[in-house]
Amino acid sequence: MAPIDTKPPSHASYDMETTMKWSEPQKDGVKNHGVIDATLRAVLFASTNVALIAMVTSKETKMIPISPTMKVPLDASFDQSPAYIYYVSALSVACLYSIITCLSSVLALMKKGGNVMKLQFYLEILDSLLFGIVASATGAAAAVGYIAIKGNSHSRWSKFCNIYHSFCHQMEVSVFLSVISSLALLLLVCHSFYRNKIAMK
């Protein structure tokens, strides 16, 4: 009876070595993508949170003369403009969304399987939707803020940032941070597309 050859064929050992060589880089790549995703969501939370606080607390009261002998107290607040109300609402949604998705992204780093891929797909859609909302709200707030700073002589809209300095300063800071939030969401969308492209190769 001929002895049985238990030695694996050469191509099998080659395949095993190749798998071992490439398994670790792939794991590292997935982990790096997860870290980038979680970091961008943390930036989104920080920027939206500070921008929201700056805008909500920007109320300022000034004594405005209405006649040579009389002055009345008038407020400048975000709830006096529909654009600012929309802006604060969008930032509130983005801030809450960033908390939920940041926790989900961190938990996804600890798991594997199809559920993670489904989560990434849903987050990609929601990131794109929220990017449009935050970007449009930022544009609306910036447009109203520009009129507040510069006015519009053609429409006879007077500027009032020469009176309400604190309100306008906090509004400018808030809009600047909101631009950072929009960029963070844009990078999240681009990162999702790039990660899906790598996964399909």
Side-chain angles (χ1 to χ4, degrees), residues 46-56 87 91 173-175 177-178:
S47 56
T48 52
N49 188 35
V50 178
L52 187 60
I53 293 173
M55 196 66 196
V56 171
Y87 173 72
L91 287 183
V173 172
S174 180
V175 171
L177 292 172
S178 182

Side-chain angles (χ1 to χ4, degrees), residues 23 53 98 105 107 111 125 142 156 160 169 188 198-199:
S23 60
I53 293 173
S98 65
S105 182
L107 292 176
K111 296 182 180 180
I125 296 176
R156 295 184 180 179
F160 63 85
H169 176 68
L188 280 169
I198 295 297

Side-chain angles (χ1 to χ4, degrees), residues 133-146:
I133 294 174
V134 173
S136 64
T138 303
V144 175
Y146 180 83

Side-chain angles (χ1 to χ4, degrees), residues 6 16 22 31 41-42 47 51-52 55 58 61 69 87 95 98 107 115 121 123 154-155 163 180-181 189:
T6 58
M16 186 178 297
W22 285 99
K31 184 176 180 181
R41 296 188 189 281
S47 56
L52 187 60
M55 196 66 196
S58 62
T61 303
T69 58
Y87 173 72
C95 187
S98 65
L107 292 176
N115 291 332
F121 174 73
L123 288 181
H154 300 286
S155 302
I163 301 174
I180 296 178
S181 302
V189 173

